């Protein structure tokens, strides 16, 4: 009874102190607040603190420490593993903290911890500036950057973490600190791909790059043309400039203006090229993809913030994702990838993607805990469906993809592209040296493992 009284007193104090909102299971709005992007995740936190600013985050962490509660952190809430929630935990919900401040003279932007890629890209676009962002506009900037960050611009500007200039954090001892190249450099190293379990990132400062023009070429093919299309796509990226990016995808034809009505709901192969440059230059680069028979095409300039919405999917559906980094993409691997695309469950919002790396990904800083940057290609099966009766079929397909491409896999892990696949895969994907170093940083900044959800880095 005494413990319960202490908890109620602490909760009442938190409600009184927080500028934001506090929700517990009995409150209206609790179920909406705990819903995340992946509909397969159903967890019941003890308390949700919807923070209005960094001071609220400090108060929320202090409350959690007083009651010995673990803390989960919710930024954009797009992570497929659902680490934004924890059963019986305190959730620090940052989604009210979405401010974006652009400094065009310094070519830098300060982004609050709850901002999404949509917030960031729309703020920088009027200045013809951008930084590497996710391939979906609803992705939270904080989790994306701290996990490494792969997107349409990574061959041109490097992964998102390479553009990280500084992080403002609330730590497990309820202090506020900053990590940069000059302040807490070992913590700053860990935040370049090591994830967000070292503290709560209330704001990040990112480097911006000039992006006066951005173009997209989108070509839809019947799925049986996948192998020759994939080979052409491979050669275009192999010989093309670093400003060129994109993806080869199998997907179900969506009901959009660029998809003919007769193709809606059918399995298709999409070759998507993105280019940080002029339309006429992209048209020349895309030439080899115009030869195979295709069902539809669109090529032209598109504001980068709009291009970021091309692969958006609605929240609340069931999702299971994974990824394999490939050391090479020979014809045999192309054939296997395309055959797996032919087996992708349809109709659904699932996608079977092949992303190029190279360029500034490969030439970036070698010291950060991002060993996957040497892989020239990444296979990313992302199953997305509505009916729980399809769980086994869709999850099984993702596992089949991973197993089939393993002969060409480096074993490295792009953490933002996978779900919860256990600590051993994360450890193997990071490498033993990186993992041990990250664990030492964890011990320094969170020795009690308060921030234990997400990347499984334990204090040692």
């Amino acid at each position: 009874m005494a413990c319960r009284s202490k908890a109620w007193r602490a909760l009442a104090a938190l409600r009184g102190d927080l500028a934001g909102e506090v929700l517990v299971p009995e409150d209206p709005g609790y179920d909406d607040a705990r819903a995340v992007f992946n509909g397969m995740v159903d967890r019941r936190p003890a308390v949700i603190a919807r923070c209005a600013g960094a001071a609220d985050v400090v108060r929320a962490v202090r409350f959690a420490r007083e009651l010995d509660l673990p803390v989960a952190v919710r930024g954009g809430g797009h992570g497929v593993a659902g680490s934004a929630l924890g059963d019986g935990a305190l959730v620090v919900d940052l989604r009210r903290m979405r401010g974006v401040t652009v400094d065009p003279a310094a070519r830098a932007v300060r982004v609050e911890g709850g901002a999404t890629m949509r917030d960031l890209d729309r703020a920088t676009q009027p200045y013809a500036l951008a930084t590497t962002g996710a391939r979906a506009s609803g992705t939270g900037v904080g989790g994306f950057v701290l996990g490494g960050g792969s997107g349409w611009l990574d061959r041109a500007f490097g992964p998102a973490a390479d553009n990280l200039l500084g992080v403002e954090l609330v730590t497990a001892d309820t202090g506020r600190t900053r990590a940069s190249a000059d302040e807490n450099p070992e913590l700053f190293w860990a935040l370049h791909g090591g994830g967000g379990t070292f503290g709560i990132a209330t704001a990040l400062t990112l480097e911006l790059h000039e992006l006066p023009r951005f173009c997209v070429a989108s070509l839809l093919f019947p799925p049986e043309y996948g192998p020759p299309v994939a080979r052409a796509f491979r050669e275009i990226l192999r010989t093309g400039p670093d400003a060129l990016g994109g993806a080869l995808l199998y997907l179900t034809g969506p009901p959009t203006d660029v998809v003919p009505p007769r193709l809606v709901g059918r399995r298709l192969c999409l070759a998507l090229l993105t280019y940080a440059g002029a339309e006429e230059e992209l048209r020349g680069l895309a030439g080899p993809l115009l030869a195979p028979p295709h069902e539809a095409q669109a090529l032209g300039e598109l504001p980068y913030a709009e291009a970021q919405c091309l692969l958006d999917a609605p929240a609340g559906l069931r999702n299971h994702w994974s990824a394999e980094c490939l050391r090479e993409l020979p014809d045999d691997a192309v054939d296997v990838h395309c055959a797996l695309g032919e087996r992708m469950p349809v109709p659904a919002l699932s996608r079977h993607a092949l992303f190029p790396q190279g360029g500034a990904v490969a030439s970036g800083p070698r010291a950060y805990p991002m060993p996957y940057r040497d892989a020239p290609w990444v296979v990313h099966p992302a199953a997305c469906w509505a009916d729980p009766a399809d769980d086994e079929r869709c999850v099984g397909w993702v596992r089949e993809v991973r197993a089939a491409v393993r002969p060409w896999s480096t074993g490295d892990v792009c953490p933002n592209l996978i779900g919860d696949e256990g600590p051993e895969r994360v450890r193997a994907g990071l490498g033993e040296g990186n993992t041990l170093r990250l664990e030492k940083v964890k011990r320094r900044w969170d020795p009690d493992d308060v921030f234990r959800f997400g990347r499984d880095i334990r204090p040692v």
Side-chain angles (χ1 to χ4, degrees):
M1 181 65 71
C3 290
R4 181 173 296 182
S5 298
K6 176 184 177 182
W8 280 114
R9 288 196 301 271
L11 181 62
L14 181 65
R15 290 187 192 275
D17 289 344
L18 222 66
E21 182 182 16
V22 177
L23 296 171
V24 296
E26 297 78 20
D27 289 334
Y30 170 84
D31 283 331
D32 287 342
R34 72 182 182 91
V36 291
F37 176 80
N38 187 356
M40 296 184 79
V41 176
D42 182 16
R43 297 175 187 153
R44 298 187 65 82
V47 181
I48 300 173
R50 307 181 78 173
C51 298
D56 274 2
V57 176
V58 171
R59 295 182 186 108
V61 174
R62 187 177 297 132
F63 165 84
R65 298 310 309 269
E66 182 181 351
L67 297 182
D68 197 25
L69 295 176
V71 177
V73 184
R74 182 166 188 175
H78 196 272
V80 69
S83 56
L85 299 180
D87 286 322
L90 167 75
V91 172
V92 174
D93 188 336
L94 304 177
R95 288 177 296 167
R96 293 189 177 189
M97 299 168 55
R98 297 175 60 173
V100 179
T101 305
V102 180
D103 185 343
R107 291 190 185 173
V109 58
R110 181 181 181 274
V111 187
E112 289 189 330
T116 65
M117 295 311 312
R118 184 182 300 110
D119 301 319
L120 170 58
D121 296 331
R122 291 181 178 177
T124 60
Q125 188 162 280
Y127 303 96
L129 297 171
T131 194
T132 301
R135 297 179 180 93
S137 67
T139 304
V141 175
F144 171 73
V145 173
L146 301 181
S150 167
W152 303 129
L153 294 174
D154 57 6
R155 282 170 47 87
F157 304 145
D162 286 359
N163 295 281
L164 184 62
L165 300 175
V167 186
E168 299 164 39
L169 302 109
V170 173
T171 54
D173 62 1
T174 72
R176 294 173 67 172
T177 193
R178 179 177 170 83
S180 68
D182 300 320
E183 300 175 79
N184 301 307
E186 188 70 0
L187 175 59
F188 191 54
W189 170 85
L191 297 173
H192 285 76
T197 66
F198 307 97
I200 300 177
T202 56
L204 303 90
T205 301
L206 303 169
E207 182 181 1
L208 295 173
H209 306 265
E210 291 186 357
L211 189 67
R213 306 178 77 177
F214 189 79
C215 302
V216 173
S218 170
L219 294 98
L220 286 170
F221 299 87
E224 59 268 24
Y225 286 94
V229 170
R231 289 177 173 85
F233 180 82
R234 177 188 62 189
E235 293 309 303
I236 289 170
L237 268 298
R238 184 181 67 83
T239 60
D242 292 352
L244 184 68
L248 182 86
L249 303 110
Y250 283 81
L251 74 172
T252 301
T256 65
D257 293 341
V258 298
V259 178
R262 61 187 173 82
L263 300 179
V264 173
R266 288 177 49 189
R267 188 193 316 271
L268 296 169
C269 178
L270 168 65
L272 182 68
L273 293 174
T274 62
Y275 186 61
E279 177 182 344
E280 56 271 21
E281 296 169 358
L282 177 58
R283 190 174 296 276
L285 293 166
L289 284 172
L290 301 176
H294 49 278
E295 300 282 2
Q297 73 174 70
L299 192 155
E301 288 200 27
L302 186 68
Y304 175 64
E306 293 183 26
Q308 288 284 72
C309 303
L310 289 174
L311 298 184
D312 281 359
L317 295 175
R318 305 175 77 76
N319 284 263
H320 184 76
W321 306 348
S322 193
E324 288 288 342
C325 298
L326 306 186
R327 65 177 181 273
E328 58 181 343
L329 188 66
D331 286 348
D332 287 351
V334 167
D335 292 341
V336 167
H337 176 80
C338 293
L340 292 161
E342 292 270 16
R343 293 203 288 274
M344 184 184 72
V346 293
L349 287 178
S350 300
R351 283 128 182 196
H352 182 41
L354 180 67
F355 297 129
Q357 293 200 130
V361 180
S363 63
R366 314 305 297 175
Y368 297 142
M370 299 162 61
Y372 57 85
R373 68 165 73 241
D374 286 329
W377 296 94
V378 178
V379 170
H380 179 40
C384 179
W385 68 101
D387 189 347
D390 288 331
D391 285 2
E392 184 176 351
R393 179 171 68 113
C394 293
V395 171
W397 170 73
V398 172
R399 291 173 177 165
E400 181 186 11
V401 171
R402 279 198 62 209
V405 302
R406 201 162 291 146
W408 301 280
S409 174
T410 66
D412 300 323
V413 173
C414 295
N416 292 340
L417 299 181
I418 70 171
D420 183 0
E421 297 182 7
E424 291 308 313
R425 186 171 188 224
V426 172
R427 191 178 191 94
L430 284 170
E432 193 68 21
N434 284 327
T435 302
L436 289 172
R437 188 173 170 185
L438 289 167
E439 288 174 342
K440 291 178 180 178
V441 177
K442 178 75 168 177
R443 181 178 62 191
R444 162 67 178 84
W445 292 97
D446 184 15
D448 298 320
D449 203 17
V450 174
F451 308 118
R452 68 189 61 165
F453 302 99
R455 187 79 65 84
D456 197 14
I457 304 295
R458 301 298 182 192
V460 295

